[in-house]
Amino acid sequence: MIGAARALAGFWALFLLSMPALAQTDFTLSVQGSGELPGFRMEDAGPYLAQQMNNAGIAGWHFVPQAGFVDPNRVELRFELLPYAGGQVRRFFPMAEGRMDLHLLGPHRLVSAQARLYLNGEYQTVVMGTATVRGGADDPELAAFLSGLGKSLDNAHRAIDLSPAPPNRAAP
Protein backbone atom coordinates (compact mmCIF):
# COMPACT_ATOMS: atom_id res chain seq x y z
CA MET A 1 0.00 0.00 0.00
CA ILE A 2 2.81 2.40 0.86
CA GLY A 3 4.61 1.50 -2.39
CA ALA A 4 1.50 2.29 -4.42
CA ALA A 5 1.06 5.62 -2.61
CA ARG A 6 4.71 6.54 -3.31
CA ALA A 7 4.32 5.58 -6.96
CA LEU A 8 1.16 7.70 -7.22
CA ALA A 9 2.86 10.63 -5.48
CA GLY A 10 5.83 10.28 -7.84
CA PHE A 11 3.51 10.26 -10.83
CA TRP A 12 1.77 13.45 -9.69
CA ALA A 13 5.10 15.15 -8.97
CA LEU A 14 6.30 14.27 -12.47
CA PHE A 15 3.00 15.46 -13.94
CA LEU A 16 3.16 18.80 -12.10
CA LEU A 17 6.77 19.35 -13.11
CA SER A 18 5.92 18.67 -16.74
CA MET A 19 2.93 21.05 -16.80
CA PRO A 20 5.01 24.08 -17.89
CA ALA A 21 6.39 22.02 -20.76
CA LEU A 22 2.89 20.98 -21.81
CA ALA A 23 1.65 24.57 -21.66
CA GLN A 24 4.67 25.86 -23.59
CA THR A 25 3.71 27.65 -26.76
CA ASP A 26 7.19 28.77 -27.82
CA PHE A 27 8.89 26.19 -29.98
CA THR A 28 12.15 26.23 -31.87
CA LEU A 29 11.56 23.97 -34.83
CA SER A 30 14.30 22.67 -37.09
CA VAL A 31 13.44 22.65 -40.79
CA GLN A 32 14.44 19.65 -42.87
CA GLY A 33 13.96 19.58 -46.62
CA SER A 34 14.02 16.67 -49.06
CA GLY A 35 13.15 16.04 -52.69
CA GLU A 36 13.61 18.56 -55.50
CA LEU A 37 13.20 22.32 -55.10
CA PRO A 38 13.94 24.48 -58.19
CA GLY A 39 16.95 26.72 -57.74
CA PHE A 40 18.39 24.87 -54.73
CA ARG A 41 20.47 21.90 -53.84
CA MET A 42 18.57 20.40 -50.93
CA GLU A 43 21.75 20.34 -48.80
CA ASP A 44 21.95 24.14 -49.11
CA ALA A 45 18.23 24.98 -48.85
CA GLY A 46 17.89 24.77 -45.04
CA PRO A 47 18.66 28.43 -44.17
CA TYR A 48 16.34 29.70 -46.92
CA LEU A 49 13.50 27.36 -45.87
CA ALA A 50 13.86 28.40 -42.22
CA GLN A 51 13.91 32.09 -43.15
CA GLN A 52 10.76 31.83 -45.26
CA MET A 53 8.93 29.84 -42.58
CA ASN A 54 9.90 32.56 -40.05
CA ASN A 55 8.53 35.17 -42.46
CA ALA A 56 5.09 33.57 -42.00
CA GLY A 57 4.95 35.41 -38.66
CA ILE A 58 3.67 32.51 -36.57
CA ALA A 59 3.57 33.55 -32.92
CA GLY A 60 5.49 31.19 -30.65
CA TRP A 61 7.29 29.32 -33.43
CA HIS A 62 10.90 29.97 -34.46
CA PHE A 63 12.38 28.01 -37.35
CA VAL A 64 16.05 27.12 -37.69
CA PRO A 65 17.88 25.03 -40.31
CA GLN A 66 18.44 21.38 -39.43
CA ALA A 67 21.66 20.94 -37.48
CA GLY A 68 22.59 17.50 -38.82
CA PHE A 69 20.61 15.39 -36.35
CA VAL A 70 16.95 14.55 -36.04
CA ASP A 71 15.43 17.16 -33.75
CA PRO A 72 12.31 16.14 -31.78
CA ASN A 73 10.73 19.51 -32.65
CA ARG A 74 10.89 19.76 -36.42
CA VAL A 75 9.13 20.41 -39.68
CA GLU A 76 9.90 17.97 -42.49
CA LEU A 77 9.34 19.49 -45.92
CA ARG A 78 9.13 17.10 -48.87
CA PHE A 79 9.17 18.68 -52.34
CA GLU A 80 8.29 17.10 -55.66
CA LEU A 81 8.39 18.58 -59.16
CA LEU A 82 5.15 17.93 -61.03
CA PRO A 83 4.62 17.99 -64.80
CA TYR A 84 3.57 21.42 -65.98
CA ALA A 85 3.27 22.30 -69.67
CA GLY A 86 3.50 26.04 -69.03
CA GLY A 87 7.07 25.70 -67.83
CA GLN A 88 8.13 23.89 -70.98
CA VAL A 89 6.55 26.13 -73.64
CA ARG A 90 9.09 28.32 -75.45
CA ARG A 91 6.87 29.85 -78.16
CA PHE A 92 5.71 33.43 -77.98
CA PHE A 93 2.48 34.49 -79.63
CA PRO A 94 0.31 37.62 -79.61
CA MET A 95 -1.91 37.93 -76.58
CA ALA A 96 -5.16 39.85 -76.21
CA GLU A 97 -4.65 43.56 -75.51
CA GLY A 98 -0.92 43.26 -76.24
CA ARG A 99 -0.09 41.68 -72.89
CA MET A 100 2.13 38.68 -72.56
CA ASP A 101 1.44 35.94 -70.09
CA LEU A 102 3.96 36.16 -67.25
CA HIS A 103 4.41 32.41 -67.32
CA LEU A 104 5.97 32.72 -70.77
CA LEU A 105 8.65 35.15 -69.53
CA GLY A 106 10.61 32.51 -67.65
CA PRO A 107 10.64 28.82 -66.86
CA HIS A 108 8.11 28.00 -64.20
CA ARG A 109 7.79 24.67 -62.45
CA LEU A 110 4.84 23.18 -60.65
CA VAL A 111 6.01 22.14 -57.20
CA SER A 112 4.16 20.02 -54.67
CA ALA A 113 5.12 20.15 -50.99
CA GLN A 114 4.20 18.28 -47.83
CA ALA A 115 5.02 19.75 -44.43
CA ARG A 116 4.95 17.37 -41.47
CA LEU A 117 5.06 18.74 -37.94
CA TYR A 118 6.69 16.83 -35.08
CA LEU A 119 6.62 18.13 -31.49
CA ASN A 120 8.53 16.37 -28.72
CA GLY A 121 9.31 13.59 -31.20
CA GLU A 122 5.64 12.86 -31.91
CA TYR A 123 3.94 13.37 -35.26
CA GLN A 124 1.26 16.08 -35.03
CA THR A 125 -0.12 16.93 -38.48
CA VAL A 126 0.64 17.34 -42.17
CA VAL A 127 -0.32 19.99 -44.72
CA MET A 128 0.10 19.88 -48.49
CA GLY A 129 0.19 22.45 -51.22
CA THR A 130 1.20 23.15 -54.79
CA ALA A 131 2.53 26.28 -56.46
CA THR A 132 4.01 27.40 -59.75
CA VAL A 133 7.45 28.85 -59.06
CA ARG A 134 10.59 29.87 -60.89
CA GLY A 135 12.82 28.77 -58.03
CA GLY A 136 15.83 30.23 -56.31
CA ALA A 137 16.21 32.65 -53.43
CA ASP A 138 14.92 35.63 -55.48
CA ASP A 139 11.56 34.07 -56.36
CA PRO A 140 8.71 35.91 -54.58
CA GLU A 141 6.24 33.17 -55.57
CA LEU A 142 8.35 30.52 -53.83
CA ALA A 143 8.74 32.72 -50.75
CA ALA A 144 4.98 33.29 -50.57
CA PHE A 145 4.34 29.57 -51.06
CA LEU A 146 6.64 28.60 -48.18
CA SER A 147 5.21 31.27 -45.87
CA GLY A 148 1.69 30.10 -46.71
CA LEU A 149 2.71 26.52 -46.02
CA GLY A 150 3.94 27.59 -42.58
CA LYS A 151 0.65 29.38 -41.83
CA SER A 152 -1.32 26.34 -42.95
CA LEU A 153 0.78 24.15 -40.66
CA ASP A 154 0.06 26.47 -37.73
CA ASN A 155 -3.69 26.44 -38.51
CA ALA A 156 -3.70 22.65 -38.78
CA HIS A 157 -1.88 22.32 -35.46
CA ARG A 158 -4.33 24.69 -33.74
CA ALA A 159 -7.25 22.67 -35.12
CA ILE A 160 -6.09 19.53 -33.32
CA ASP A 161 -8.42 18.90 -30.39
CA LEU A 162 -6.12 18.15 -27.44
CA SER A 163 -8.91 17.91 -24.88
CA PRO A 164 -9.60 14.49 -23.41
CA ALA A 165 -12.33 12.48 -25.05
CA PRO A 166 -15.65 12.36 -23.18
CA PRO A 167 -16.34 9.11 -21.39
CA ASN A 168 -18.37 6.54 -23.29
CA ARG A 169 -21.89 6.33 -22.00
CA ALA A 170 -23.80 3.14 -22.35
CA ALA A 171 -27.04 3.37 -24.29
CA PRO A 172 -30.13 2.91 -22.08
Side-chain angles (χ1 to χ4, degrees), residues 129-147:
T130 58
T132 305
V133 300
R134 287 189 183 129
D138 298 334
D139 185 1
E141 296 155 336
L142 179 58
F145 174 57
L146 292 171
S147 293

mmCIF file of all heavy atoms in Angstrom, residues 129-147:
data_model
loop_
_atom_site.group_PDB
_atom_site.id
_atom_site.type_symbol
_atom_site.label_atom_id
_atom_site.label_comp_id
_atom_site.label_asym_id
_atom_site.label_seq_id
_atom_site.Cartn_x
_atom_site.Cartn_y
_atom_site.Cartn_z
ATOM 1 N N GLY A 129 0.509 21.356 -50.328
ATOM 2 C CA GLY A 129 0.192 22.451 -51.224
ATOM 3 C C GLY A 129 0.959 22.332 -52.517
ATOM 4 O O GLY A 129 1.932 21.585 -52.609
ATOM 5 N N THR A 130 0.509 23.076 -53.510
ATOM 6 C CA THR A 130 1.200 23.155 -54.789
ATOM 7 C C THR A 130 1.306 24.608 -55.202
ATOM 8 O O THR A 130 0.452 25.430 -54.837
ATOM 9 C CB THR A 130 0.480 22.368 -55.900
ATOM 10 O OG1 THR A 130 -0.845 22.876 -56.028
ATOM 11 C CG2 THR A 130 0.457 20.886 -55.610
ATOM 12 N N ALA A 131 2.352 24.919 -55.967
ATOM 13 C CA ALA A 131 2.534 26.276 -56.465
ATOM 14 C C ALA A 131 3.355 26.221 -57.739
ATOM 15 O O ALA A 131 4.119 25.286 -57.966
ATOM 16 C CB ALA A 131 3.235 27.144 -55.428
ATOM 17 N N THR A 132 3.201 27.240 -58.552
ATOM 18 C CA THR A 132 4.005 27.396 -59.753
ATOM 19 C C THR A 132 5.078 28.422 -59.427
ATOM 20 O O THR A 132 4.764 29.572 -59.106
ATOM 21 C CB THR A 132 3.140 27.880 -60.933
ATOM 22 O OG1 THR A 132 2.049 26.975 -61.085
ATOM 23 C CG2 THR A 132 3.938 27.931 -62.204
ATOM 24 N N VAL A 133 6.339 28.000 -59.473
ATOM 25 C CA VAL A 133 7.448 28.853 -59.056
ATOM 26 C C VAL A 133 8.552 28.830 -60.100
ATOM 27 O O VAL A 133 8.664 27.895 -60.890
ATOM 28 C CB VAL A 133 8.001 28.409 -57.687
ATOM 29 C CG1 VAL A 133 6.922 28.472 -56.614
ATOM 30 C CG2 VAL A 133 8.597 27.016 -57.751
ATOM 31 N N ARG A 134 9.380 29.863 -60.063
ATOM 32 C CA ARG A 134 10.588 29.872 -60.893
ATOM 33 C C ARG A 134 11.718 29.178 -60.149
ATOM 34 O O ARG A 134 12.545 28.527 -60.735
ATOM 35 C CB ARG A 134 11.003 31.295 -61.218
ATOM 36 C CG ARG A 134 10.117 31.960 -62.217
ATOM 37 C CD ARG A 134 10.716 33.292 -62.657
ATOM 38 N NE ARG A 134 9.798 33.929 -63.560
ATOM 39 C CZ ARG A 134 9.384 35.171 -63.432
ATOM 40 N NH1 ARG A 134 9.825 35.915 -62.460
ATOM 41 N NH2 ARG A 134 8.542 35.673 -64.299
ATOM 42 N N GLY A 135 11.775 29.378 -58.845
ATOM 43 C CA GLY A 135 12.815 28.766 -58.028
ATOM 44 C C GLY A 135 13.929 29.748 -57.700
ATOM 45 O O GLY A 135 14.041 30.812 -58.298
ATOM 46 N N GLY A 136 14.718 29.384 -56.726
ATOM 47 C CA GLY A 136 15.825 30.228 -56.306
ATOM 48 C C GLY A 136 15.418 31.176 -55.198
ATOM 49 O O GLY A 136 14.236 31.369 -54.897
ATOM 50 N N ALA A 137 16.425 31.785 -54.588
ATOM 51 C CA ALA A 137 16.206 32.650 -53.432
ATOM 52 C C ALA A 137 15.516 33.958 -53.789
ATOM 53 O O ALA A 137 14.967 34.627 -52.912
ATOM 54 C CB ALA A 137 17.544 32.938 -52.741
ATOM 55 N N ASP A 138 15.526 34.356 -55.063
ATOM 56 C CA ASP A 138 14.920 35.633 -55.480
ATOM 57 C C ASP A 138 13.485 35.488 -55.944
ATOM 58 O O ASP A 138 12.897 36.466 -56.414
ATOM 59 C CB ASP A 138 15.742 36.249 -56.613
ATOM 60 C CG ASP A 138 17.164 36.560 -56.183
ATOM 61 O OD1 ASP A 138 17.383 36.780 -54.979
ATOM 62 O OD2 ASP A 138 18.055 36.576 -57.049
ATOM 63 N N ASP A 139 12.904 34.321 -55.845
ATOM 64 C CA ASP A 139 11.559 34.075 -56.359
ATOM 65 C C ASP A 139 10.510 34.450 -55.308
ATOM 66 O O ASP A 139 10.372 33.776 -54.291
ATOM 67 C CB ASP A 139 11.420 32.598 -56.744
ATOM 68 C CG ASP A 139 10.086 32.277 -57.399
ATOM 69 O OD1 ASP A 139 9.266 33.198 -57.583
ATOM 70 O OD2 ASP A 139 9.860 31.099 -57.718
ATOM 71 N N PRO A 140 9.732 35.521 -55.554
ATOM 72 C CA PRO A 140 8.710 35.907 -54.576
ATOM 73 C C PRO A 140 7.567 34.897 -54.496
ATOM 74 O O PRO A 140 6.933 34.760 -53.448
ATOM 75 C CB PRO A 140 8.211 37.265 -55.086
ATOM 76 C CG PRO A 140 8.578 37.304 -56.527
ATOM 77 C CD PRO A 140 9.796 36.446 -56.693
ATOM 78 N N GLU A 141 7.298 34.178 -55.593
ATOM 79 C CA GLU A 141 6.237 33.166 -55.574
ATOM 80 C C GLU A 141 6.614 32.007 -54.659
ATOM 81 O O GLU A 141 5.778 31.480 -53.922
ATOM 82 C CB GLU A 141 5.966 32.664 -56.989
ATOM 83 C CG GLU A 141 5.425 33.748 -57.907
ATOM 84 C CD GLU A 141 5.718 33.483 -59.369
ATOM 85 O OE1 GLU A 141 6.688 32.752 -59.662
ATOM 86 O OE2 GLU A 141 4.977 34.023 -60.214
ATOM 87 N N LEU A 142 7.881 31.592 -54.706
ATOM 88 C CA LEU A 142 8.354 30.520 -53.827
ATOM 89 C C LEU A 142 8.333 30.971 -52.371
ATOM 90 O O LEU A 142 7.901 30.215 -51.490
ATOM 91 C CB LEU A 142 9.763 30.073 -54.234
ATOM 92 C CG LEU A 142 10.400 28.980 -53.388
ATOM 93 C CD1 LEU A 142 9.542 27.719 -53.379
ATOM 94 C CD2 LEU A 142 11.810 28.682 -53.880
ATOM 95 N N ALA A 143 8.757 32.195 -52.114
ATOM 96 C CA ALA A 143 8.744 32.720 -50.746
ATOM 97 C C ALA A 143 7.316 32.762 -50.195
ATOM 98 O O ALA A 143 7.062 32.362 -49.052
ATOM 99 C CB ALA A 143 9.373 34.112 -50.710
ATOM 100 N N ALA A 144 6.375 33.228 -51.014
ATOM 101 C CA ALA A 144 4.977 33.291 -50.569
ATOM 102 C C ALA A 144 4.419 31.891 -50.352
ATOM 103 O O ALA A 144 3.649 31.663 -49.397
ATOM 104 C CB ALA A 144 4.135 34.037 -51.600
ATOM 105 N N PHE A 145 4.792 30.947 -51.207
ATOM 106 C CA PHE A 145 4.337 29.568 -51.062
ATOM 107 C C PHE A 145 4.819 28.966 -49.739
ATOM 108 O O PHE A 145 4.046 28.346 -49.008
ATOM 109 C CB PHE A 145 4.828 28.744 -52.249
ATOM 110 C CG PHE A 145 4.547 27.269 -52.148
ATOM 111 C CD1 PHE A 145 3.249 26.800 -51.987
ATOM 112 C CD2 PHE A 145 5.569 26.345 -52.236
ATOM 113 C CE1 PHE A 145 2.988 25.432 -51.901
ATOM 114 C CE2 PHE A 145 5.324 24.987 -52.161
ATOM 115 C CZ PHE A 145 4.030 24.529 -51.981
ATOM 116 N N LEU A 146 6.098 29.157 -49.412
ATOM 117 C CA LEU A 146 6.644 28.599 -48.176
ATOM 118 C C LEU A 146 6.046 29.265 -46.940
ATOM 119 O O LEU A 146 5.751 28.598 -45.947
ATOM 120 C CB LEU A 146 8.169 28.716 -48.173
ATOM 121 C CG LEU A 146 8.874 27.839 -49.209
ATOM 122 C CD1 LEU A 146 10.352 28.186 -49.283
ATOM 123 C CD2 LEU A 146 8.671 26.368 -48.896
ATOM 124 N N SER A 147 5.849 30.580 -46.991
ATOM 125 C CA SER A 147 5.207 31.268 -45.869
ATOM 126 C C SER A 147 3.774 30.780 -45.683
ATOM 127 O O SER A 147 3.320 30.554 -44.559
ATOM 128 C CB SER A 147 5.211 32.783 -46.092
ATOM 129 O OG SER A 147 6.514 33.287 -46.043
#
